[in-house]
Amino acid sequence: SPRTGGHDHIPLLIGGHGPNVTFRLAARYCDEINIDVLPDRMPEAMDVLADRCREIARDPTSLLVAAAVRGR
């Protein structure tokens, strides 16, 4: 059987930058999200992600966020 690191499930990660689909999927189902946006867009992306978590009564701090920051 798979090792789950003490969790009741295998940790689920999603990557992307879509505020309507990807962020809602991450808020509902994921343990971690890897956001790929330009550095100047990251604060806005984090605000939207927190809103998506609050829409389903999830604590935004319970979702681990990693950043794949792209250059121009």
Side-chain angles (χ1 to χ4, degrees):
S1 70
R3 296 178 189 216
T4 62
H7 297 100
D8 61 349
H9 63 278
I10 296 172
L12 183 60
L13 168 108
I14 193 170
H17 57 265
N20 294 317
V21 177
T22 305
F23 288 7
R24 282 193 171 100
L25 288 171
R28 182 165 305 276
Y29 299 110
C30 295
D31 300 291
E32 182 175 354
I33 182 170
N34 187 317
I35 301 175
D36 62 335
V37 295
L38 293 172
D40 60 335
R41 302 293 303 234
M42 193 63 176
E44 178 186 353
M46 292 296 294
D47 288 343
V48 173
L49 181 60
D51 289 343
R52 298 302 179 247
C53 287
R54 286 190 284 269
E55 287 173 359
I56 60 164
R58 178 177 182 169
D59 177 2
T61 64
S62 71
L63 181 60
L64 183 61
V65 177
V69 180
R70 299 183 274 156
R72 291 183 186 251

